[in-house]
Amino acid sequence: MTANLSANSTESPVVKYVRLPLLALTLGGVVLVLGRLLLFPATDGQTKAEFDFPEQVPLPGWQAQSATALPIPEKAQAEMVSGKRYSYRQGDRALAVEIRYLVNTDPSVRNLLLKYGKSTPTVAFPTTIQQDESGGFYSIYADETHAHLTSCINPRGSSTVTEAQFMQNRYVLDLRPERALPVLLGRETLRDGRCLWTVMSAPLQNTPADQVYPQLKAAWTDWQAWWQPKFPTP
């Protein structure tokens, strides 16, 4: 009986010959799929993410007035998911906040200002960049009628203004072990190129820009703190 069982459990040379190439082929396919996911995490064939901004975003010290959807320019169809313009008042002062959810975007805020036709600084752009207490960066400047503050809220890490700042966040915070599974499953890309690009504007009303900047900075601190934990899901 024992001899018969042993004989039946022995694989023939033909089975062994076929099994090894099949295992090698399967392993090779797995390696190729994983390699593509890691090196080329493009979303070919997938639809662009969807996100609807809320009708109200609280801003301490300011009274919400209205909220309207921002149009998506023809040249920004591939990167802009949605956008909203929020209006606030604080006594006789007004504040407008535009926020756009951008994917796979140019992380340079200066380039975004030009692309979307927003007011740009009349001085060298690097001189407008400041850093807040939390480590985030923003650009603040004024034209003839308004003071402006703009920055990119990142999916992970502090806010950024330049491409170098944005890429630093990606290298430090995107390449983490806990993101391996979502990347391999195609739920996220290896390098997260998304941004909640914000532009705040307040009228000068014959007031020096230096006196309006503190109001913008305070509003930005609250705005960023509200949005960072609510960054859209990929």
Side-chain angles (χ1 to χ4, degrees), residues 181-232:
L181 184 59
V183 170
L184 291 176
L185 294 177
R187 297 173 183 169
E188 299 180 12
T189 57
L190 184 60
R191 196 199 74 176
D192 197 335
R194 298 176 300 142
C195 164
L196 285 175
W197 177 43
T198 297
V199 180
M200 292 184 160
S201 302
L204 295 178
Q205 298 177 333
N206 298 319
T207 303
D210 289 344
Q211 295 182 22
V212 181
Y213 288 162
Q215 294 179 324
L216 283 180
K217 293 178 182 179
W220 165 247
T221 298
D222 292 327
W223 181 266
Q224 181 181 211
W226 194 88
W227 273 110
Q228 277 194 316
K230 299 175 180 64
F231 202 98

Side-chain angles (χ1 to χ4, degrees), residues 102-107 155-156 166 170 174 189-195 231:
L102 308 179
V103 296
N104 297 319
T105 184
D106 181 346
R156 281 167 292 280
F166 186 87
R170 307 286 64 76
D174 286 0
T189 57
L190 184 60
R191 196 199 74 176
D192 197 335
R194 298 176 300 142
C195 164
F231 202 98

